[in-house]
Amino acid sequence: MAQNSDSYAALDLGSNSFHLLIASFHEDKLRVIDRHKDMVRLAAGLDDDGRLSDTAQERALESLAKMADRLRGVPRRQIRVVGTNTLRAATNANEFMAKAETVLGLPINIISGTEEARLVYLGVANDFAPEKQRRLVIDIGGGSTELVIGTNTPRQLESLPMGCVSFSMRYFKNGDISEKAFKKAVNAARQMIGPYVEPFRAQWDEAVGSSGTIRSIGKILAEQQFSEAGYISADGLEKLKDQVIATDNSRNLNIPGLSDDRKEVFVGGFAVLYALFQELDMQGLHVSAYAIREGIVHDLAGRLHHRDKREDTIKQFIIQYGIDGAQGDRIAELCTRLLPAVTQHLSTPEQEAEALLRWAAQLHELGLAIAHGGYHKHGAYILGNADMPGFSRQEQARLSFLVANHRRKPKQPSTQTYGITADWPLICILRLACIFYRRRQPKKLPDAISLNSPQADQLILSIPEDWLNMNPLIAADLEDEAELLNKSLNITLSIERKN
């Protein structure tokens, strides 16, 4: 199949549904090429120990096989696959991810709740004309609910562990509905929302909702003329509540506008929205046709056209943690210069390796904001656990691993995070660059200093003899590094002195 270089694809592996969006841009507006949705009910496959059942995995893999076929016409670098709440929570997510990536032939990016909220907001914001008024965006998914306030960009973000699948399973077992069960579900949702109400209450001029639960409720209210089309009113919600609790089981929810495939998880999602209206004193909510998929496509297009949110995050971290930006840039520049010598030995794609190495160089002194002793460990911890807009969990783990190993004895990566491989040649580049600029000298290194790597476990540094003689401390550090790399990683670092 011929590839369309103008197309972008977002595959959202949600807790309730898997959504595929393939689109292009015309005058900065999204033009949909293809959409596909499978109700996989991934969250319904989690047992009491948080394990994803074999049956749920099989459903998911069958869906992904279809998605893979539809993605063949899209350039690989213009596709992003994102996993959300259930894949964040599943204790055997790594096992499933290995199977899923084999079927797709693509990496899956697990994102944090706040990153999910950011992408939802980005998608919804592009469904409306840019305005200066403050906007509250609500997205009720299968396993989590995202709340965001912002104008053109998000300002306040929260992700709460409540969704249409999880609440339907917890409070309406076997689909049984009663007024008592509904009150219990609403109260539980209000308890979760309560601690986050004040930063959100009365902080918006317009409220917008997205995703399946909210679109389904909007459609129901419009068909019964309880609210205007594309709008959910508080009065309409009350009328719909009476219809819901008058039904004994979700299978019997014969409500105009409610599709059969939504019935099983409808009541849980409805309870969450009802609780949000109460806690946030909402009188109405506009319904958006856009959601996280559109946000992913916009974010991906930005990455490929020099509007990468990750770059903004790196700059913000440099300011927030008082990092010496000039030192970081010097080391980043040298890393970029030395990188081509080892790219043939890396498992990380070249463009991704270049970006990760540059960011790690810029942030390698992050941990100094906590303490000088063991600052590489402090920096690694922050990078592995902080909210970093634009980054997936795997990207943060790779950055954390690089920073953790930029000095002292190298340590193997944790097996807990899926998809983290030890690209030791990449780490060696960062370590060498830090050695060369340990004195923090502003002067650029001579162009005659070069690196060669005939084998993955062999590095050859060519350095002018006179330069080494003028920099005996760096020469001594390089000799120590050669010994450490050989002892710890069985990597040979040779120093060639040139006349």
Side-chain angles (χ1 to χ4, degrees), residues 405-406 408-410 424-425 427-429 431-432 435 457-459 461 477-495:
N405 285 287
H406 86 270
R408 302 287 175 85
K409 183 179 178 180
W424 292 116
I427 286 166
C428 288
I429 294 285
R431 292 174 69 91
L432 290 172
I435 288 172
D457 58 356
Q458 184 181 10
L459 299 170
L461 261 177
D477 285 339
L478 289 172
E479 293 295 341
D480 290 343
E481 181 70 5
E483 184 179 346
L484 182 59
L485 291 179
N486 186 46
K487 188 181 293 185
S488 300
L489 303 175
N490 203 26
I491 291 175
T492 301
L493 172 62
S494 304
I495 313 296

PDB file of all heavy atoms in Angstrom, residues 405-406 408-410 424-425 427-429 431-432 435 457-459 461 477-495:
ATOM      1  N   ASN A 405      23.127   7.483  34.836  1.00  0.00           N
ATOM      2  CA  ASN A 405      24.395   6.847  34.462  1.00  0.00           C
ATOM      3  C   ASN A 405      25.391   7.794  33.817  1.00  0.00           C
ATOM      4  O   ASN A 405      26.361   7.333  33.219  1.00  0.00           O
ATOM      5  CB  ASN A 405      24.110   5.674  33.526  1.00  0.00           C
ATOM      6  CG  ASN A 405      23.551   4.472  34.251  1.00  0.00           C
ATOM      7  OD1 ASN A 405      24.250   3.776  34.963  1.00  0.00           O
ATOM      8  ND2 ASN A 405      22.250   4.246  34.084  1.00  0.00           N
ATOM      9  N   HIS A 406      25.203   9.097  33.972  1.00  0.00           N
ATOM     10  CA  HIS A 406      26.149  10.013  33.331  1.00  0.00           C
ATOM     11  C   HIS A 406      27.459  10.136  34.117  1.00  0.00           C
ATOM     12  O   HIS A 406      28.435  10.698  33.624  1.00  0.00           O
ATOM     13  CB  HIS A 406      25.504  11.397  33.119  1.00  0.00           C
ATOM     14  CG  HIS A 406      25.595  12.328  34.296  1.00  0.00           C
ATOM     15  ND1 HIS A 406      24.629  12.369  35.279  1.00  0.00           N
ATOM     16  CD2 HIS A 406      26.527  13.260  34.643  1.00  0.00           C
ATOM     17  CE1 HIS A 406      24.969  13.282  36.181  1.00  0.00           C
ATOM     18  NE2 HIS A 406      26.116  13.834  35.830  1.00  0.00           N
ATOM     19  N   ARG A 408      29.821   8.173  37.719  1.00  0.00           N
ATOM     20  CA  ARG A 408      30.002   7.072  38.656  1.00  0.00           C
ATOM     21  C   ARG A 408      29.808   5.716  37.956  1.00  0.00           C
ATOM     22  O   ARG A 408      29.779   5.617  36.746  1.00  0.00           O
ATOM     23  CB  ARG A 408      29.062   7.211  39.862  1.00  0.00           C
ATOM     24  CG  ARG A 408      29.243   8.527  40.638  1.00  0.00           C
ATOM     25  CD  ARG A 408      30.525   8.545  41.454  1.00  0.00           C
ATOM     26  NE  ARG A 408      30.748   9.821  42.096  1.00  0.00           N
ATOM     27  CZ  ARG A 408      30.233  10.163  43.268  1.00  0.00           C
ATOM     28  NH1 ARG A 408      29.436   9.342  43.915  1.00  0.00           N
ATOM     29  NH2 ARG A 408      30.511  11.348  43.783  1.00  0.00           N
ATOM     30  N   LYS A 409      29.665   4.661  38.733  1.00  0.00           N
ATOM     31  CA  LYS A 409      29.586   3.311  38.172  1.00  0.00           C
ATOM     32  C   LYS A 409      28.255   3.090  37.461  1.00  0.00           C
ATOM     33  O   LYS A 409      27.190   3.316  38.043  1.00  0.00           O
ATOM     34  CB  LYS A 409      29.744   2.281  39.292  1.00  0.00           C
ATOM     35  CG  LYS A 409      29.758   0.840  38.791  1.00  0.00           C
ATOM     36  CD  LYS A 409      29.933  -0.132  39.953  1.00  0.00           C
ATOM     37  CE  LYS A 409      29.894  -1.564  39.459  1.00  0.00           C
ATOM     38  NZ  LYS A 409      30.061  -2.538  40.576  1.00  0.00           N
ATOM     39  N   PRO A 410      28.275   2.673  36.190  1.00  0.00           N
ATOM     40  CA  PRO A 410      27.017   2.437  35.448  1.00  0.00           C
ATOM     41  C   PRO A 410      26.203   1.316  36.092  1.00  0.00           C
ATOM     42  O   PRO A 410      26.755   0.343  36.604  1.00  0.00           O
ATOM     43  CB  PRO A 410      27.495   2.033  34.051  1.00  0.00           C
ATOM     44  CG  PRO A 410      28.914   2.490  33.963  1.00  0.00           C
ATOM     45  CD  PRO A 410      29.462   2.420  35.357  1.00  0.00           C
ATOM     46  N   TRP A 424      24.150   1.285  25.840  1.00  0.00           N
ATOM     47  CA  TRP A 424      25.359   1.749  26.514  1.00  0.00           C
ATOM     48  C   TRP A 424      26.215   2.695  25.671  1.00  0.00           C
ATOM     49  O   TRP A 424      26.810   3.631  26.228  1.00  0.00           O
ATOM     50  CB  TRP A 424      26.190   0.548  26.997  1.00  0.00           C
ATOM     51  CG  TRP A 424      25.516  -0.198  28.105  1.00  0.00           C
ATOM     52  CD1 TRP A 424      25.064  -1.479  28.077  1.00  0.00           C
ATOM     53  CD2 TRP A 424      25.186   0.301  29.409  1.00  0.00           C
ATOM     54  NE1 TRP A 424      24.469  -1.816  29.267  1.00  0.00           N
ATOM     55  CE2 TRP A 424      24.544  -0.734  30.107  1.00  0.00           C
ATOM     56  CE3 TRP A 424      25.369   1.526  30.049  1.00  0.00           C
ATOM     57  CZ2 TRP A 424      24.089  -0.603  31.419  1.00  0.00           C
ATOM     58  CZ3 TRP A 424      24.915   1.667  31.349  1.00  0.00           C
ATOM     59  CH2 TRP A 424      24.290   0.632  32.017  1.00  0.00           C
ATOM     60  N   PRO A 425      26.312   2.510  24.343  1.00  0.00           N
ATOM     61  CA  PRO A 425      27.088   3.494  23.569  1.00  0.00           C
ATOM     62  C   PRO A 425      26.542   4.919  23.714  1.00  0.00           C
ATOM     63  O   PRO A 425      27.297   5.888  23.731  1.00  0.00           O
ATOM     64  CB  PRO A 425      26.952   2.988  22.124  1.00  0.00           C
ATOM     65  CG  PRO A 425      26.729   1.517  22.262  1.00  0.00           C
ATOM     66  CD  PRO A 425      25.891   1.373  23.488  1.00  0.00           C
ATOM     67  N   ILE A 427      25.003   6.115  26.387  1.00  0.00           N
ATOM     68  CA  ILE A 427      25.407   6.566  27.719  1.00  0.00           C
ATOM     69  C   ILE A 427      26.885   6.936  27.738  1.00  0.00           C
ATOM     70  O   ILE A 427      27.293   7.912  28.370  1.00  0.00           O
ATOM     71  CB  ILE A 427      25.078   5.491  28.766  1.00  0.00           C
ATOM     72  CG1 ILE A 427      23.557   5.487  28.999  1.00  0.00           C
ATOM     73  CG2 ILE A 427      25.802   5.728  30.081  1.00  0.00           C
ATOM     74  CD1 ILE A 427      23.032   4.313  29.730  1.00  0.00           C
ATOM     75  N   CYS A 428      27.701   6.157  27.020  1.00  0.00           N
ATOM     76  CA  CYS A 428      29.138   6.471  26.958  1.00  0.00           C
ATOM     77  C   CYS A 428      29.381   7.849  26.347  1.00  0.00           C
ATOM     78  O   CYS A 428      30.266   8.595  26.800  1.00  0.00           O
ATOM     79  CB  CYS A 428      29.866   5.405  26.142  1.00  0.00           C
ATOM     80  SG  CYS A 428      30.009   3.810  26.986  1.00  0.00           S
ATOM     81  N   ILE A 429      28.584   8.208  25.333  1.00  0.00           N
ATOM     82  CA  ILE A 429      28.707   9.539  24.709  1.00  0.00           C
ATOM     83  C   ILE A 429      28.467  10.627  25.756  1.00  0.00           C
ATOM     84  O   ILE A 429      29.231  11.593  25.865  1.00  0.00           O
ATOM     85  CB  ILE A 429      27.701   9.693  23.549  1.00  0.00           C
ATOM     86  CG1 ILE A 429      28.034   8.745  22.413  1.00  0.00           C
ATOM     87  CG2 ILE A 429      27.647  11.139  23.054  1.00  0.00           C
ATOM     88  CD1 ILE A 429      29.211   9.129  21.582  1.00  0.00           C
ATOM     89  N   ARG A 431      28.665  10.393  29.044  1.00  0.00           N
ATOM     90  CA  ARG A 431      29.715  10.363  30.067  1.00  0.00           C
ATOM     91  C   ARG A 431      30.976  11.061  29.572  1.00  0.00           C
ATOM     92  O   ARG A 431      31.599  11.847  30.297  1.00  0.00           O
ATOM     93  CB  ARG A 431      30.023   8.915  30.446  1.00  0.00           C
ATOM     94  CG  ARG A 431      28.889   8.208  31.177  1.00  0.00           C
ATOM     95  CD  ARG A 431      29.205   6.735  31.390  1.00  0.00           C
ATOM     96  NE  ARG A 431      30.281   6.555  32.341  1.00  0.00           N
ATOM     97  CZ  ARG A 431      30.121   6.399  33.650  1.00  0.00           C
ATOM     98  NH1 ARG A 431      28.896   6.413  34.176  1.00  0.00           N
ATOM     99  NH2 ARG A 431      31.153   6.234  34.442  1.00  0.00           N
ATOM    100  N   LEU A 432      31.361  10.802  28.314  1.00  0.00           N
ATOM    101  CA  LEU A 432      32.566  11.418  27.760  1.00  0.00           C
ATOM    102  C   LEU A 432      32.401  12.929  27.639  1.00  0.00           C
ATOM    103  O   LEU A 432      33.316  13.698  27.954  1.00  0.00           O
ATOM    104  CB  LEU A 432      32.891  10.810  26.396  1.00  0.00           C
ATOM    105  CG  LEU A 432      33.387   9.358  26.408  1.00  0.00           C
ATOM    106  CD1 LEU A 432      33.495   8.817  24.993  1.00  0.00           C
ATOM    107  CD2 LEU A 432      34.729   9.247  27.144  1.00  0.00           C
ATOM    108  N   ILE A 435      32.873  14.548  30.911  1.00  0.00           N
ATOM    109  CA  ILE A 435      34.290  14.579  31.304  1.00  0.00           C
ATOM    110  C   ILE A 435      35.009  15.731  30.602  1.00  0.00           C
ATOM    111  O   ILE A 435      35.765  16.486  31.224  1.00  0.00           O
ATOM    112  CB  ILE A 435      34.962  13.226  30.972  1.00  0.00           C
ATOM    113  CG1 ILE A 435      34.471  12.149  31.933  1.00  0.00           C
ATOM    114  CG2 ILE A 435      36.491  13.350  31.044  1.00  0.00           C
ATOM    115  CD1 ILE A 435      34.927  10.740  31.587  1.00  0.00           C
ATOM    116  N   ASP A 457      31.088  -2.558  21.488  1.00  0.00           N
ATOM    117  CA  ASP A 457      31.837  -2.564  22.745  1.00  0.00           C
ATOM    118  C   ASP A 457      33.233  -1.971  22.594  1.00  0.00           C
ATOM    119  O   ASP A 457      34.122  -2.251  23.405  1.00  0.00           O
ATOM    120  CB  ASP A 457      31.941  -3.984  23.298  1.00  0.00           C
ATOM    121  CG  ASP A 457      32.619  -4.946  22.327  1.00  0.00           C
ATOM    122  OD1 ASP A 457      32.944  -4.521  21.200  1.00  0.00           O
ATOM    123  OD2 ASP A 457      32.820  -6.124  22.702  1.00  0.00           O
ATOM    124  N   GLN A 458      33.410  -1.152  21.552  1.00  0.00           N
ATOM    125  CA  GLN A 458      34.728  -0.564  21.317  1.00  0.00           C
ATOM    126  C   GLN A 458      34.596   0.906  20.930  1.00  0.00           C
ATOM    127  O   GLN A 458      33.928   1.256  19.952  1.00  0.00           O
ATOM    128  CB  GLN A 458      35.452  -1.330  20.197  1.00  0.00           C
ATOM    129  CG  GLN A 458      36.877  -0.859  19.947  1.00  0.00           C
ATOM    130  CD  GLN A 458      37.542  -1.631  18.813  1.00  0.00           C
ATOM    131  OE1 GLN A 458      36.901  -2.393  18.098  1.00  0.00           O
ATOM    132  NE2 GLN A 458      38.839  -1.431  18.652  1.00  0.00           N
ATOM    133  N   LEU A 459      35.250   1.763  21.701  1.00  0.00           N
ATOM    134  CA  LEU A 459      35.264   3.201  21.438  1.00  0.00           C
ATOM    135  C   LEU A 459      36.710   3.655  21.293  1.00  0.00           C
ATOM    136  O   LEU A 459      37.562   3.280  22.111  1.00  0.00           O
ATOM    137  CB  LEU A 459      34.600   3.975  22.582  1.00  0.00           C
ATOM    138  CG  LEU A 459      33.121   3.669  22.869  1.00  0.00           C
ATOM    139  CD1 LEU A 459      32.702   4.329  24.179  1.00  0.00           C
ATOM    140  CD2 LEU A 459      32.225   4.152  21.733  1.00  0.00           C
ATOM    141  N   LEU A 461      38.846   7.150  20.965  1.00  0.00           N
ATOM    142  CA  LEU A 461      38.898   8.610  21.009  1.00  0.00           C
ATOM    143  C   LEU A 461      40.225   9.079  20.426  1.00  0.00           C
ATOM    144  O   LEU A 461      41.295   8.665  20.896  1.00  0.00           O
ATOM    145  CB  LEU A 461      38.791   9.103  22.447  1.00  0.00           C
ATOM    146  CG  LEU A 461      37.442   9.586  22.972  1.00  0.00           C
ATOM    147  CD1 LEU A 461      37.572   9.958  24.445  1.00  0.00           C
ATOM    148  CD2 LEU A 461      36.911  10.768  22.180  1.00  0.00           C
ATOM    149  N   ASP A 477      41.154  11.786  33.811  1.00  0.00           N
ATOM    150  CA  ASP A 477      39.747  11.364  33.921  1.00  0.00           C
ATOM    151  C   ASP A 477      39.387  10.364  32.825  1.00  0.00           C
ATOM    152  O   ASP A 477      38.643   9.397  33.066  1.00  0.00           O
ATOM    153  CB  ASP A 477      38.819  12.580  33.833  1.00  0.00           C
ATOM    154  CG  ASP A 477      38.811  13.409  35.119  1.00  0.00           C
ATOM    155  OD1 ASP A 477      39.188  12.861  36.172  1.00  0.00           O
ATOM    156  OD2 ASP A 477      38.434  14.592  35.051  1.00  0.00           O
ATOM    157  N   LEU A 478      39.890  10.595  31.611  1.00  0.00           N
ATOM    158  CA  LEU A 478      39.600   9.688  30.501  1.00  0.00           C
ATOM    159  C   LEU A 478      40.223   8.313  30.740  1.00  0.00           C
ATOM    160  O   LEU A 478      39.615   7.273  30.415  1.00  0.00           O
ATOM    161  CB  LEU A 478      40.105  10.283  29.189  1.00  0.00           C
ATOM    162  CG  LEU A 478      39.314  11.490  28.659  1.00  0.00           C
ATOM    163  CD1 LEU A 478      40.018  12.122  27.455  1.00  0.00           C
ATOM    164  CD2 LEU A 478      37.886  11.103  28.285  1.00  0.00           C
ATOM    165  N   GLU A 479      41.418   8.298  31.313  1.00  0.00           N
ATOM    166  CA  GLU A 479      42.049   7.017  31.631  1.00  0.00           C
ATOM    167  C   GLU A 479      41.244   6.273  32.703  1.00  0.00           C
ATOM    168  O   GLU A 479      41.035   5.055  32.611  1.00  0.00           O
ATOM    169  CB  GLU A 479      43.484   7.254  32.127  1.00  0.00           C
ATOM    170  CG  GLU A 479      44.437   7.790  31.078  1.00  0.00           C
ATOM    171  CD  GLU A 479      44.704   6.816  29.936  1.00  0.00           C
ATOM    172  OE1 GLU A 479      44.451   5.593  30.121  1.00  0.00           O
ATOM    173  OE2 GLU A 479      45.144   7.265  28.860  1.00  0.00           O
ATOM    174  N   ASP A 480      40.763   7.003  33.697  1.00  0.00           N
ATOM    175  CA  ASP A 480      39.923   6.387  34.744  1.00  0.00           C
ATOM    176  C   ASP A 480      38.620   5.849  34.138  1.00  0.00           C
ATOM    177  O   ASP A 480      38.139   4.777  34.524  1.00  0.00           O
ATOM    178  CB  ASP A 480      39.605   7.399  35.841  1.00  0.00           C
ATOM    179  CG  ASP A 480      40.820   7.762  36.676  1.00  0.00           C
ATOM    180  OD1 ASP A 480      41.817   7.017  36.628  1.00  0.00           O
ATOM    181  OD2 ASP A 480      40.773   8.809  37.361  1.00  0.00           O
ATOM    182  N   GLU A 481      38.049   6.635  33.221  1.00  0.00           N
ATOM    183  CA  GLU A 481      36.800   6.223  32.567  1.00  0.00           C
ATOM    184  C   GLU A 481      37.004   4.947  31.757  1.00  0.00           C
ATOM    185  O   GLU A 481      36.154   4.049  31.766  1.00  0.00           O
ATOM    186  CB  GLU A 481      36.273   7.351  31.662  1.00  0.00           C
ATOM    187  CG  GLU A 481      34.975   7.039  30.943  1.00  0.00           C
ATOM    188  CD  GLU A 481      33.747   6.968  31.843  1.00  0.00           C
ATOM    189  OE1 GLU A 481      33.875   7.258  33.060  1.00  0.00           O
ATOM    190  OE2 GLU A 481      32.663   6.632  31.342  1.00  0.00           O
ATOM    191  N   ALA A 482      38.132   4.858  31.069  1.00  0.00           N
ATOM    192  CA  ALA A 482      38.425   3.658  30.275  1.00  0.00           C
ATOM    193  C   ALA A 482      38.464   2.423  31.178  1.00  0.00           C
ATOM    194  O   ALA A 482      37.910   1.364  30.839  1.00  0.00           O
ATOM    195  CB  ALA A 482      39.747   3.836  29.546  1.00  0.00           C
ATOM    196  N   GLU A 483      39.084   2.566  32.330  1.00  0.00           N
ATOM    197  CA  GLU A 483      39.163   1.445  33.270  1.00  0.00           C
ATOM    198  C   GLU A 483      37.782   1.069  33.809  1.00  0.00           C
ATOM    199  O   GLU A 483      37.441  -0.118  33.921  1.00  0.00           O
ATOM    200  CB  GLU A 483      40.098   1.825  34.425  1.00  0.00           C
ATOM    201  CG  GLU A 483      40.333   0.701  35.415  1.00  0.00           C
ATOM    202  CD  GLU A 483      41.284   1.099  36.536  1.00  0.00           C
ATOM    203  OE1 GLU A 483      41.963   2.142  36.402  1.00  0.00           O
ATOM    204  OE2 GLU A 483      41.334   0.369  37.548  1.00  0.00           O
ATOM    205  N   LEU A 484      36.967   2.079  34.136  1.00  0.00           N
ATOM    206  CA  LEU A 484      35.630   1.835  34.693  1.00  0.00           C
ATOM    207  C   LEU A 484      34.710   1.172  33.669  1.00  0.00           C
ATOM    208  O   LEU A 484      33.984   0.224  33.987  1.00  0.00           O
ATOM    209  CB  LEU A 484      35.027   3.154  35.174  1.00  0.00           C
ATOM    210  CG  LEU A 484      33.634   3.089  35.835  1.00  0.00           C
ATOM    211  CD1 LEU A 484      33.667   2.186  37.058  1.00  0.00           C
ATOM    212  CD2 LEU A 484      33.168   4.484  36.215  1.00  0.00           C
ATOM    213  N   LEU A 485      34.735   1.656  32.427  1.00  0.00           N
ATOM    214  CA  LEU A 485      33.880   1.082  31.387  1.00  0.00           C
ATOM    215  C   LEU A 485      34.266  -0.366  31.096  1.00  0.00           C
ATOM    216  O   LEU A 485      33.410  -1.218  30.864  1.00  0.00           O
ATOM    217  CB  LEU A 485      33.966   1.913  30.101  1.00  0.00           C
ATOM    218  CG  LEU A 485      33.356   3.315  30.145  1.00  0.00           C
ATOM    219  CD1 LEU A 485      33.536   4.014  28.798  1.00  0.00           C
ATOM    220  CD2 LEU A 485      31.876   3.273  30.516  1.00  0.00           C
ATOM    221  N   ASN A 486      35.546  -0.641  31.103  1.00  0.00           N
ATOM    222  CA  ASN A 486      36.003  -1.994  30.836  1.00  0.00           C
ATOM    223  C   ASN A 486      35.592  -2.948  31.959  1.00  0.00           C
ATOM    224  O   ASN A 486      35.135  -4.065  31.724  1.00  0.00           O
ATOM    225  CB  ASN A 486      37.531  -1.998  30.675  1.00  0.00           C
ATOM    226  CG  ASN A 486      38.051  -3.357  30.251  1.00  0.00           C
ATOM    227  OD1 ASN A 486      37.514  -3.989  29.354  1.00  0.00           O
ATOM    228  ND2 ASN A 486      39.098  -3.818  30.906  1.00  0.00           N
ATOM    229  N   LYS A 487      35.721  -2.466  33.191  1.00  0.00           N
ATOM    230  CA  LYS A 487      35.406  -3.296  34.353  1.00  0.00           C
ATOM    231  C   LYS A 487      33.901  -3.497  34.521  1.00  0.00           C
ATOM    232  O   LYS A 487      33.440  -4.598  34.838  1.00  0.00           O
ATOM    233  CB  LYS A 487      35.989  -2.642  35.618  1.00  0.00           C
ATOM    234  CG  LYS A 487      35.901  -3.515  36.863  1.00  0.00           C
ATOM    235  CD  LYS A 487      36.484  -2.787  38.068  1.00  0.00           C
ATOM    236  CE  LYS A 487      37.996  -2.591  37.905  1.00  0.00           C
ATOM    237  NZ  LYS A 487      38.600  -1.982  39.123  1.00  0.00           N
ATOM    238  N   SER A 488      33.118  -2.432  34.299  1.00  0.00           N
ATOM    239  CA  SER A 488      31.670  -2.486  34.565  1.00  0.00           C
ATOM    240  C   SER A 488      30.852  -3.001  33.388  1.00  0.00           C
ATOM    241  O   SER A 488      29.859  -3.715  33.575  1.00  0.00           O
ATOM    242  CB  SER A 488      31.160  -1.093  34.947  1.00  0.00           C
ATOM    243  OG  SER A 488      31.803  -0.611  36.088  1.00  0.00           O
ATOM    244  N   LEU A 489      31.256  -2.624  32.173  1.00  0.00           N
ATOM    245  CA  LEU A 489      30.431  -2.921  31.000  1.00  0.00           C
ATOM    246  C   LEU A 489      31.157  -3.748  29.936  1.00  0.00           C
ATOM    247  O   LEU A 489      30.553  -4.067  28.909  1.00  0.00           O
ATOM    248  CB  LEU A 489      29.945  -1.602  30.358  1.00  0.00           C
ATOM    249  CG  LEU A 489      29.149  -0.651  31.252  1.00  0.00           C
ATOM    250  CD1 LEU A 489      28.862   0.650  30.511  1.00  0.00           C
ATOM    251  CD2 LEU A 489      27.845  -1.306  31.704  1.00  0.00           C
ATOM    252  N   ASN A 490      32.395  -4.050  30.176  1.00  0.00           N
ATOM    253  CA  ASN A 490      33.203  -4.760  29.191  1.00  0.00           C
ATOM    254  C   ASN A 490      33.292  -3.984  27.874  1.00  0.00           C
ATOM    255  O   ASN A 490      33.314  -4.566  26.788  1.00  0.00           O
ATOM    256  CB  ASN A 490      32.635  -6.167  28.941  1.00  0.00           C
ATOM    257  CG  ASN A 490      33.683  -7.117  28.389  1.00  0.00           C
ATOM    258  OD1 ASN A 490      34.877  -6.936  28.621  1.00  0.00           O
ATOM    259  ND2 ASN A 490      33.248  -8.111  27.636  1.00  0.00           N
ATOM    260  N   ILE A 491      33.314  -2.666  27.987  1.00  0.00           N
ATOM    261  CA  ILE A 491      33.488  -1.785  26.833  1.00  0.00           C
ATOM    262  C   ILE A 491      34.917  -1.250  26.840  1.00  0.00           C
ATOM    263  O   ILE A 491      35.398  -0.763  27.868  1.00  0.00           O
ATOM    264  CB  ILE A 491      32.483  -0.614  26.860  1.00  0.00           C
ATOM    265  CG1 ILE A 491      31.060  -1.126  26.621  1.00  0.00           C
ATOM    266  CG2 ILE A 491      32.839   0.449  25.817  1.00  0.00           C
ATOM    267  CD1 ILE A 491      29.992  -0.065  26.750  1.00  0.00           C
ATOM    268  N   THR A 492      35.570  -1.352  25.687  1.00  0.00           N
ATOM    269  CA  THR A 492      36.949  -0.879  25.572  1.00  0.00           C
ATOM    270  C   THR A 492      36.979   0.557  25.075  1.00  0.00           C
ATOM    271  O   THR A 492      36.434   0.857  24.004  1.00  0.00           O
ATOM    272  CB  THR A 492      37.745  -1.763  24.590  1.00  0.00           C
ATOM    273  OG1 THR A 492      37.728  -3.114  25.058  1.00  0.00           O
ATOM    274  CG2 THR A 492      39.192  -1.284  24.486  1.00  0.00           C
ATOM    275  N   LEU A 493      37.570   1.446  25.863  1.00  0.00           N
ATOM    276  CA  LEU A 493      37.767   2.836  25.459  1.00  0.00           C
ATOM    277  C   LEU A 493      39.260   3.066  25.275  1.00  0.00           C
ATOM    278  O   LEU A 493      40.033   2.962  26.224  1.00  0.00           O
ATOM    279  CB  LEU A 493      37.210   3.795  26.519  1.00  0.00           C
ATOM    280  CG  LEU A 493      37.525   5.286  26.323  1.00  0.00           C
ATOM    281  CD1 LEU A 493      36.918   5.818  25.026  1.00  0.00           C
ATOM    282  CD2 LEU A 493      37.035   6.105  27.512  1.00  0.00           C
ATOM    283  N   SER A 494      39.653   3.350  24.028  1.00  0.00           N
ATOM    284  CA  SER A 494      41.061   3.587  23.703  1.00  0.00           C
ATOM    285  C   SER A 494      41.272   5.079  23.426  1.00  0.00           C
ATOM    286  O   SER A 494      40.438   5.723  22.776  1.00  0.00           O
ATOM    287  CB  SER A 494      41.482   2.783  22.475  1.00  0.00           C
ATOM    288  OG  SER A 494      41.216   1.404  22.666  1.00  0.00           O
ATOM    289  N   ILE A 495      42.368   5.602  23.923  1.00  0.00           N
ATOM    290  CA  ILE A 495      42.723   7.011  23.690  1.00  0.00           C
ATOM    291  C   ILE A 495      43.889   7.047  22.703  1.00  0.00           C
ATOM    292  O   ILE A 495      44.992   6.582  23.038  1.00  0.00           O
ATOM    293  CB  ILE A 495      43.107   7.729  24.994  1.00  0.00           C
ATOM    294  CG1 ILE A 495      42.090   7.428  26.108  1.00  0.00           C
ATOM    295  CG2 ILE A 495      43.271   9.222  24.747  1.00  0.00           C
ATOM    296  CD1 ILE A 495      40.707   7.925  25.845  1.00  0.00           C
TER     297      ILE A 495
END
